[in-house]
mmCIF file of all heavy atoms in Angstrom:
data_model
loop_
_atom_site.group_PDB
_atom_site.id
_atom_site.type_symbol
_atom_site.label_atom_id
_atom_site.label_comp_id
_atom_site.label_asym_id
_atom_site.label_seq_id
_atom_site.Cartn_x
_atom_site.Cartn_y
_atom_site.Cartn_z
ATOM 1 N N GLY A 1571 -43.102 -61.411 -9.195
ATOM 2 C CA GLY A 1571 -41.704 -61.736 -9.071
ATOM 3 C C GLY A 1571 -40.766 -60.579 -9.360
ATOM 4 O O GLY A 1571 -39.696 -60.463 -8.678
ATOM 5 N N LYS A 1574 -40.523 -58.232 -6.541
ATOM 6 C CA LYS A 1574 -39.670 -58.789 -5.536
ATOM 7 C C LYS A 1574 -38.183 -58.611 -5.933
ATOM 8 O O LYS A 1574 -37.355 -58.263 -5.095
ATOM 9 C CB LYS A 1574 -39.934 -60.339 -5.356
ATOM 10 C CG LYS A 1574 -39.659 -60.823 -4.018
ATOM 11 C CD LYS A 1574 -40.125 -62.243 -3.952
ATOM 12 C CE LYS A 1574 -39.579 -62.954 -2.675
ATOM 13 N NZ LYS A 1574 -40.020 -64.415 -2.613
ATOM 14 N N LEU A 1575 -37.935 -58.823 -7.196
ATOM 15 C CA LEU A 1575 -36.488 -58.662 -7.599
ATOM 16 C C LEU A 1575 -36.155 -57.163 -7.548
ATOM 17 O O LEU A 1575 -34.968 -56.855 -7.135
ATOM 18 C CB LEU A 1575 -36.423 -59.133 -9.116
ATOM 19 C CG LEU A 1575 -35.033 -59.165 -9.781
ATOM 20 C CD1 LEU A 1575 -34.024 -59.984 -8.878
ATOM 21 C CD2 LEU A 1575 -35.083 -59.722 -11.175
ATOM 22 N N TRP A 1576 -37.013 -56.307 -8.011
ATOM 23 C CA TRP A 1576 -36.768 -54.853 -7.766
ATOM 24 C C TRP A 1576 -36.382 -54.417 -6.404
ATOM 25 O O TRP A 1576 -35.450 -53.737 -6.165
ATOM 26 C CB TRP A 1576 -37.963 -54.055 -8.355
ATOM 27 C CG TRP A 1576 -37.619 -52.498 -8.244
ATOM 28 C CD1 TRP A 1576 -38.169 -51.725 -7.271
ATOM 29 C CD2 TRP A 1576 -36.870 -51.749 -9.026
ATOM 30 N NE1 TRP A 1576 -37.636 -50.488 -7.418
ATOM 31 C CE2 TRP A 1576 -36.854 -50.427 -8.464
ATOM 32 C CE3 TRP A 1576 -36.014 -52.003 -10.138
ATOM 33 C CZ2 TRP A 1576 -36.160 -49.357 -9.053
ATOM 34 C CZ3 TRP A 1576 -35.253 -50.947 -10.723
ATOM 35 C CH2 TRP A 1576 -35.339 -49.578 -10.123
ATOM 36 N N ALA A 1578 -35.222 -56.441 -4.126
ATOM 37 C CA ALA A 1578 -33.982 -57.030 -3.698
ATOM 38 C C ALA A 1578 -32.815 -56.131 -4.360
ATOM 39 O O ALA A 1578 -31.812 -55.982 -3.651
ATOM 40 C CB ALA A 1578 -33.911 -58.406 -4.272
ATOM 41 N N ARG A 1624 -26.560 -62.509 -4.022
ATOM 42 C CA ARG A 1624 -27.586 -61.947 -3.000
ATOM 43 C C ARG A 1624 -29.039 -61.835 -3.652
ATOM 44 O O ARG A 1624 -30.033 -62.144 -2.919
ATOM 45 C CB ARG A 1624 -27.111 -60.612 -2.566
ATOM 46 C CG ARG A 1624 -25.991 -60.606 -1.586
ATOM 47 C CD ARG A 1624 -25.546 -59.320 -1.069
ATOM 48 N NE ARG A 1624 -24.354 -59.480 -0.255
ATOM 49 C CZ ARG A 1624 -23.527 -58.459 0.058
ATOM 50 N NH1 ARG A 1624 -23.802 -57.294 -0.311
ATOM 51 N NH2 ARG A 1624 -22.436 -58.746 0.778
ATOM 52 N N LEU A 1625 -29.088 -61.646 -4.962
ATOM 53 C CA LEU A 1625 -30.389 -61.460 -5.507
ATOM 54 C C LEU A 1625 -30.912 -62.931 -5.644
ATOM 55 O O LEU A 1625 -32.189 -63.100 -5.359
ATOM 56 C CB LEU A 1625 -30.203 -60.889 -6.930
ATOM 57 C CG LEU A 1625 -29.864 -59.446 -6.992
ATOM 58 C CD1 LEU A 1625 -29.640 -58.932 -8.376
ATOM 59 C CD2 LEU A 1625 -30.909 -58.535 -6.258
ATOM 60 N N LYS A 1626 -30.112 -63.860 -6.007
ATOM 61 C CA LYS A 1626 -30.616 -65.280 -5.971
ATOM 62 C C LYS A 1626 -31.113 -65.710 -4.750
ATOM 63 O O LYS A 1626 -32.200 -66.267 -4.559
ATOM 64 C CB LYS A 1626 -29.498 -66.182 -6.475
ATOM 65 C CG LYS A 1626 -29.909 -67.682 -6.638
ATOM 66 C CD LYS A 1626 -28.742 -68.457 -6.944
ATOM 67 C CE LYS A 1626 -29.077 -69.934 -7.008
ATOM 68 N NZ LYS A 1626 -27.984 -70.915 -6.967
ATOM 69 N N ALA A 1627 -30.424 -65.345 -3.603
ATOM 70 C CA ALA A 1627 -30.777 -65.716 -2.279
ATOM 71 C C ALA A 1627 -32.076 -65.101 -1.858
ATOM 72 O O ALA A 1627 -32.974 -65.605 -1.259
ATOM 73 C CB ALA A 1627 -29.644 -65.423 -1.262
ATOM 74 N N ALA A 1628 -32.219 -63.790 -2.236
ATOM 75 C CA ALA A 1628 -33.488 -63.026 -1.987
ATOM 76 C C ALA A 1628 -34.640 -63.653 -2.624
ATOM 77 O O ALA A 1628 -35.756 -63.660 -2.075
ATOM 78 C CB ALA A 1628 -33.260 -61.535 -2.379
ATOM 79 N N LEU A 1629 -34.453 -64.159 -3.879
ATOM 80 C CA LEU A 1629 -35.581 -64.571 -4.593
ATOM 81 C C LEU A 1629 -35.951 -66.082 -4.121
ATOM 82 O O LEU A 1629 -37.136 -66.499 -4.163
ATOM 83 C CB LEU A 1629 -35.286 -64.667 -6.116
ATOM 84 C CG LEU A 1629 -35.087 -63.330 -6.842
ATOM 85 C CD1 LEU A 1629 -34.804 -63.474 -8.233
ATOM 86 C CD2 LEU A 1629 -36.385 -62.522 -6.604
ATOM 87 N N THR A 1630 -34.994 -66.903 -3.700
ATOM 88 C CA THR A 1630 -35.206 -68.193 -3.288
ATOM 89 C C THR A 1630 -35.397 -68.372 -1.815
ATOM 90 O O THR A 1630 -35.777 -69.375 -1.279
ATOM 91 C CB THR A 1630 -34.150 -69.154 -3.786
ATOM 92 O OG1 THR A 1630 -32.877 -68.693 -3.211
ATOM 93 C CG2 THR A 1630 -34.010 -69.137 -5.359
ATOM 94 N N GLY A 1631 -35.040 -67.251 -1.106
ATOM 95 C CA GLY A 1631 -35.136 -67.276 0.319
ATOM 96 C C GLY A 1631 -33.981 -68.062 0.968
ATOM 97 O O GLY A 1631 -33.999 -68.461 2.194
ATOM 98 N N GLY A 1632 -32.971 -68.286 0.205
ATOM 99 C CA GLY A 1632 -31.773 -69.053 0.739
ATOM 100 C C GLY A 1632 -30.669 -68.184 1.204
ATOM 101 O O GLY A 1632 -30.712 -66.932 1.166
ATOM 102 N N LEU B 665 -31.902 -65.421 -14.085
ATOM 103 C CA LEU B 665 -31.809 -64.303 -13.251
ATOM 104 C C LEU B 665 -31.413 -63.036 -14.120
ATOM 105 O O LEU B 665 -32.081 -61.992 -13.894
ATOM 106 C CB LEU B 665 -30.672 -64.449 -12.175
ATOM 107 C CG LEU B 665 -30.406 -63.254 -11.290
ATOM 108 C CD1 LEU B 665 -31.620 -62.920 -10.365
ATOM 109 C CD2 LEU B 665 -29.134 -63.420 -10.489
ATOM 110 N N SER B 668 -34.536 -61.998 -15.949
ATOM 111 C CA SER B 668 -35.440 -61.331 -15.038
ATOM 112 C C SER B 668 -35.077 -59.912 -14.722
ATOM 113 O O SER B 668 -35.818 -59.030 -14.653
ATOM 114 C CB SER B 668 -35.550 -62.144 -13.701
ATOM 115 O OG SER B 668 -36.072 -63.405 -14.041
#
Side-chain angles (χ1 to χ4, degrees):
Chain A
K1574 205 172 168 184
L1575 184 55
W1576 177 261
R1624 287 184 185 163
L1625 294 175
K1626 183 188 176 188
L1629 292 179
T1630 59
Chain B
L665 175 68
S668 296

